[in-house]
């Protein structure tokens, strides 16, 4: 999912926010209608709580012209425009507007029917959270980790004598995402240290000083030959990744 | 099953403690009585607000999570005992009130049913959510290392500097405290206990908001709660608070969007009705809770309070009332100053 940036997209930002986050986008229209109802039937209290703050926010923080200018200075909040929408509680506002309208009728029967009709309308046109996931199953690999990385982690968990293992990955994506899948692996930077990976001799010295237990390199890469010459022990190949043990660490 | 029963007991205990603490806060009504939901909400703000203060000081001093839990357990015990002793009349008063009124209207028991059903639904939806990352990982890391946000959950390494927004956001520490005292797993405390608690409190705050909005007419208020809950369940959007409630109701953002924001509107409405100065204490506590629950809360609470202050100014209500509302902005303003002007705090 892209995060839209208020500074870059300007006026179309609000529309893109709504489209991107999808859900039942009619809530915004329902809230707008409810605001009109509160304005007409809400009385002083209704206007004080729902209408005036909404108007002030619409003119300031929620204004697509002003919001980018406000946060161009602060930075780091451009993609979080939707959070300001929490300040106008759309569900409560819709309910207040609906009740102000429904209870204009005298008959209790009509009030009940109309309340039920509004709830039924919301239920039919809406999209509840649970419908996304039924029938429910156990989540598997929910963070969509790379399958090769998953197999590497499983192999190391089964074969390593240590509870936590320091592992140097040549692939930077593996290094950054490995702990999403396996918290017992501590990523090491050794393979991205330009001095250490200059040649086999430098690597041997660096590996002797380092606590890294395993090296994971791409099969046939330059790093593999340096690691091999430095005395690392090849243990297994998983897909296109070779796993090596740090001999110094294991001989301690 | 044992874990589920313990989680249910923890939820009930939390609501009871909130009620007791709520009775200890000053009253705004002349008859000295407050409804159960008002007491529970007041107690929640008192509990979370005071915990925020204690936890920020402990984190600043670099104490362990165990120390924070011990300190907070002592403070909470003292506060609860003080509330019980000083406001014993509220309990007997409520029993008298219940005997007198419970037959008159079916709204309250039905409301409890709606709140429990909504909580059950949200817990079921929350179990399927994948977004438990930030809060749960912070809790488990802190509990494993006996630290308070000084270890990076992603790498397991000790941090040299802590962001001011992390220092102020002590909501996960509060959940860790619950894990420590109940021996429940962090996932159970978040996905079950806190999810259900936040939903129940959000229904309570909606009920009070509509009750005051419709001049105490329970039928109108109950119909509005029903429609609001239906709108929240069936909207499922990130730009309304309900998306948070069903996806990750245990997060500080869900607390801010679903409890703090309606509570501020409720307090403004009550101030309009009563002009009681006791209400400003609640508004002040709501500001502290907003700062402690999520980093957006610091800014958004200030924006919301200003948005509700302007109409009152235009209507001509200034003087002491206006100054008190400005005083409620002190804590968020301090939080914003810390977050925007302090690059980081060295971890002790």
């Amino acid at each position: 999912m892209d995060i839209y940036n208020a500074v870059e997209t300007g006026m179309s930002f609000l529309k893109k926010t709504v489209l991107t986050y999808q859900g039942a986008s009619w809530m915004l229209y329902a809230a707008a209608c409810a605001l009109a109802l509160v304005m007409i039937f809400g009385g002083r209290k209704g206007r004080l709580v729902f209408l005036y703050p909404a108007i002030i926010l619409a003119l300031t923080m929620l204004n697509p012209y002003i919001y980018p200018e406000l946060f161009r200075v602060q930075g780091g909040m451009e993609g979080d425009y939707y959070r300001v929408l929490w300040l106008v509680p759309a569900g409560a506002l819709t309910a207040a507007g609906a009740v102000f309208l429904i209870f204009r009728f005298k008959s209790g029967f009509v009030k009940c029917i109309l309340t039920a009709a509004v709830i039924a309308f919301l239920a039919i046109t809406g999209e509840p959270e649970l419908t996304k996931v039924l029938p429910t199953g156990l989540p598997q690999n929910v963070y969509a980790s790379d399958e090769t990385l998953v197999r590497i982690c499983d192999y190391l968990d089964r074969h390593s004598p240590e509870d936590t293992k320091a592992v140097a990955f040549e692939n930077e994506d593996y290094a950054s995402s490995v702990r999403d899948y396996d918290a017992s692996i501590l990523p090491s930077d050794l393979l991205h240290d330009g001095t250490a990976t200059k040649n086999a001799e430098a690597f041997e010295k660096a590996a002797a000083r380092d606590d890294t237990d395993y090296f994971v390199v791409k099969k046939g890469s330059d790093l593999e030959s340096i690691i091999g010459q430095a005395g690392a022990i090849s243990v297994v190949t998983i897909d296109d990744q070779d796993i090596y043990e740090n001999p110094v660490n294991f001989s301690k | 099953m044992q874990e589920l029963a313990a989680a249910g007991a923890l939820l009930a205990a939390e609501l009871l403690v909130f009620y007791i603490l709520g009775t200890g806060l000053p009253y705004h009504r002349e008859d000295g009585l407050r409804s159960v939901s008002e007491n529970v909400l007041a107690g929640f703000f008192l509990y979370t607000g005071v915990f925020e203060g204690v936890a920020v000081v402990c984190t600043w001093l670099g104490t362990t999570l165990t120390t924070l839990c011990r300190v907070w357990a002592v403070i909470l015990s003292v506060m609860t005992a003080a509330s019980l002793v000083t406001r014993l009349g509220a309990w007997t008063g409520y029993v008298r009130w219940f005997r007198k009124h419970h037959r008159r209207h079916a709204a309250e028991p039905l409301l409890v049913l709606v709140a429990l059903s909504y909580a059950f639904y949200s817990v079921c939806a929350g179990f399927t959510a994948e977004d438990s990352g930030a809060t749960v990982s912070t809790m488990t890391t802190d509990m494993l290392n006996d630290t308070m946000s000084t270890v990076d959950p992603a790498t397991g390494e000790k941090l040299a500097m802590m962001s001011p927004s992390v220092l102020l956001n002590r909501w996960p520490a509060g959940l860790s405290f619950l894990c420590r005292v109940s021996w429940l797993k962090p996932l159970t405390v978040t996905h079950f206990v806190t999810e259900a608690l936040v939903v129940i409190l959000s229904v309570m705050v909606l009920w009070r908001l509509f009750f005051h909005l419709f001049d105490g007419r329970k039928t109108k208020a109950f119909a509005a709660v029903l429609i609001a809950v239906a709108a929240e369940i069936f909207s499922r959007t990130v730009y309304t608070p309900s998306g948070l409630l069903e996806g990750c109701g245990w997060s500080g953002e869900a607390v801010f969007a679903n409890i703090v924001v309606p509570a501020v509107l409720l307090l403004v409405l009550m101030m309009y009705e009563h002009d009681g100065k006791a209400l400003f204490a609640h508004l002040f506590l709501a500001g502290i809770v907003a700062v402690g629950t999520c980093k957006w809360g610091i800014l958004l609470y200030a924006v919301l309070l200003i948005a509700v202050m302007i109409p009152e100014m235009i209507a001509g209500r200034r003087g002491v009332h206006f100054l008190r509302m400005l005083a409620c902005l002190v804590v968020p303003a301090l939080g914003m100053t810390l977050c925007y002007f302090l690059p980081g705090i060295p971890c002790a």
Side-chain angles (χ1 to χ4, degrees):
Chain A
M1 181 191 293
D2 294 325
I3 299 295
Y4 288 101
N5 186 314
V7 176
E8 289 169 5
T9 52
M11 218 5 225
S12 60
F13 181 67
L14 176 60
K15 188 181 170 190
K16 284 186 175 174
T17 302
V18 173
L19 289 177
T20 302
Y21 294 108
Q22 295 178 359
S25 51
W26 47 257
M27 269 306 288
L28 283 184
Y29 303 114
C33 292
L35 268 183
L37 289 170
V38 168
M39 188 170 71
I40 300 164
F41 304 121
R44 277 188 178 182
K45 283 185 182 177
R47 287 183 212 126
L48 178 73
V49 173
F50 289 119
L51 184 67
Y52 300 144
I55 290 173
I56 291 165
L57 288 169
L59 292 174
T60 55
M61 292 285 284
L62 283 171
N63 190 320
Y65 285 115
I66 293 174
Y67 179 87
E69 296 306 321
L70 280 175
F71 289 96
R72 197 193 297 276
V73 184
Q74 297 292 353
M77 279 185 69
E78 296 89 349
D80 295 282
Y81 174 82
Y82 67 90
R83 292 174 200 271
V84 187
L85 290 162
W86 297 342
L87 296 183
V88 183
L93 177 58
T94 306
V99 169
F100 277 126
L101 183 66
I102 289 168
F103 280 72
R104 304 290 295 175
F105 294 93
K106 298 280 181 203
S107 162
F109 179 72
V110 174
K111 288 175 194 169
C112 283
I113 292 292
L114 285 177
T115 306
V118 170
I119 293 170
F121 174 77
L122 293 171
I124 292 163
T125 57
E127 189 181 0
E129 183 75 12
L130 275 181
T131 56
K132 277 195 311 177
V133 290
L134 291 174
T136 308
L138 284 174
Q140 291 184 339
N141 193 11
V142 291
Y143 293 105
S145 298
D146 188 280
E147 287 300 330
T148 306
L149 178 63
V150 170
R151 279 197 282 277
I152 291 169
C153 293
D154 291 347
Y155 175 83
L156 293 178
D157 278 339
R158 279 198 304 274
H159 292 89
S160 172
E162 308 284 342
D163 285 340
T164 54
K165 306 155 278 285
V167 182
F169 292 95
E170 183 187 4
N171 186 326
E172 289 187 22
D173 288 342
Y174 288 178
S176 61
S177 65
V178 65
R179 282 177 67 83
D180 288 347
Y181 179 73
D182 189 342
S184 73
I185 288 177
L186 299 169
S188 158
D189 290 335
L190 193 62
L191 294 181
H192 300 114
D193 180 349
T195 318
T197 54
K198 199 160 59 179
N199 54 46
E201 195 182 346
F203 189 79
E204 197 175 346
K205 283 180 187 168
R209 288 194 305 271
D210 199 84
D211 285 335
T212 304
D213 299 314
Y214 294 96
F215 309 111
V216 180
V217 290
K218 192 170 182 195
K219 199 193 297 183
S221 70
D222 294 342
L223 267 177
E224 187 175 25
S225 62
I226 292 173
I227 290 171
Q229 286 166 23
I233 304 159
S234 173
V235 285
V236 72
T237 301
I238 295 174
D239 297 336
D240 62 342
Q241 301 288 319
D242 281 337
I243 302 179
Y244 286 85
E245 276 180 5
N246 184 349
V248 178
N249 225 11
F250 277 90
S251 63
K252 279 178 189 171
Chain B
M1 193 63 201
Q2 202 176 354
E3 178 117 355
L4 200 63
L10 178 63
L11 175 63
E14 275 197 276
L15 288 169
L16 183 65
V17 167
F18 291 160
Y19 178 78
I20 294 169
L21 290 177
T23 57
L25 277 172
Y27 289 92
H28 58 83
R29 278 196 209 151
E30 287 170 4
D31 60 4
L33 277 178
R34 231 184 344 215
S35 73
V36 177
S37 50
E38 277 179 319
N39 273 330
V40 171
L41 287 168
F44 169 76
F45 282 113
L46 181 64
Y47 176 101
T48 316
V50 178
F51 178 82
E52 166 72 9
V54 174
V56 166
V57 172
C58 287
T59 312
W60 183 285
L61 295 174
T63 59
T64 60
L65 181 66
T66 308
T67 309
L68 170 69
C69 290
R70 285 176 184 159
V71 170
W72 179 239
V74 171
I75 293 173
L76 186 61
S77 307
V78 171
M79 280 165 49
T80 312
S83 293
L84 270 174
V85 172
T86 55
R87 296 283 181 171
L88 206 58
W91 291 77
T92 49
Y94 175 68
V95 173
R96 279 200 306 276
W97 176 88
F98 188 77
R99 279 186 186 157
K100 192 175 169 187
H101 293 276
H102 80 285
R103 285 179 194 282
R104 285 195 186 170
H105 211 282
E108 282 95 347
L110 285 174
L111 191 74
V112 172
L113 199 65
V114 169
L116 291 178
S117 310
Y118 190 18
F120 178 74
Y121 170 83
S122 294
V123 167
C124 292
F127 272 130
T128 61
E130 295 160 10
D131 183 19
S132 53
T135 308
V136 180
S137 63
T138 305
M139 286 167 66
T140 48
T141 306
D142 284 350
M143 289 174 71
L144 183 72
N145 299 298
D146 199 16
T147 53
M148 284 201 292
S149 305
T150 52
V151 174
D152 185 355
T155 61
E157 288 173 3
K158 196 163 178 9
L159 294 168
M161 300 285 278
M162 182 191 289
S163 156
S165 60
V166 174
L167 171 72
L168 294 175
N169 181 8
R170 295 293 82 207
W171 176 253
L175 301 182
S176 300
F177 168 76
L178 293 178
C179 293
R180 278 286 169 92
V181 295
S182 65
W183 294 95
L184 286 168
K185 293 171 194 153
L187 272 176
T188 312
V189 166
T190 50
H191 283 61
F192 185 95
V193 181
T194 313
E195 174 83 52
L197 180 76
V198 173
V199 169
I200 290 169
L201 291 179
S202 77
V203 172
M204 279 183 179
V205 76
L206 279 179
W207 165 250
R208 295 316 304 175
L209 179 64
F210 290 132
F211 185 83
H212 285 276
L213 184 66
F214 297 119
D215 299 318
R217 288 181 189 132
K218 289 183 182 174
T219 312
K220 274 187 172 185
F222 181 67
V225 169
L226 275 183
I227 295 172
V229 168
E232 287 181 353
I233 287 177
F234 295 107
S235 64
R236 195 184 69 78
T237 57
V238 78
Y239 42 87
T240 59
S242 57
L244 284 169
L245 208 56
E246 287 154 30
C248 49
W250 53 86
S251 67
E253 290 175 338
V255 174
F256 176 77
N258 291 285
I259 300 175
V260 176
V261 170
V264 169
L265 298 177
L266 166 65
L267 288 168
V268 167
L269 199 56
M270 288 165 82
M271 280 177 211
Y272 177 78
E273 289 174 345
H274 299 287
D275 203 16
K277 62 182 174 187
L279 293 169
F280 284 97
H282 298 247
L283 198 60
F284 191 81
L285 280 171
I288 299 174
V289 175
V291 170
T293 47
C294 67
K295 70 174 179 178
W296 308 107
I298 303 172
L299 176 71
L300 295 182
Y301 173 84
V303 169
L304 181 63
L305 204 55
I306 292 167
V308 294
M309 274 166 75
I310 292 171
E312 293 215 338
M313 275 174 67
I314 294 168
R317 289 184 74 183
R318 289 170 196 166
V320 183
H321 181 86
F322 185 63
L323 287 175
R324 283 176 187 151
M325 285 190 107
L326 275 182
C328 295
L329 281 172
V330 168
V331 175
L334 276 175
M336 268 193 278
T337 311
L338 274 177
C339 289
Y340 287 122
F341 295 106
L342 212 63
I345 301 156
C347 291

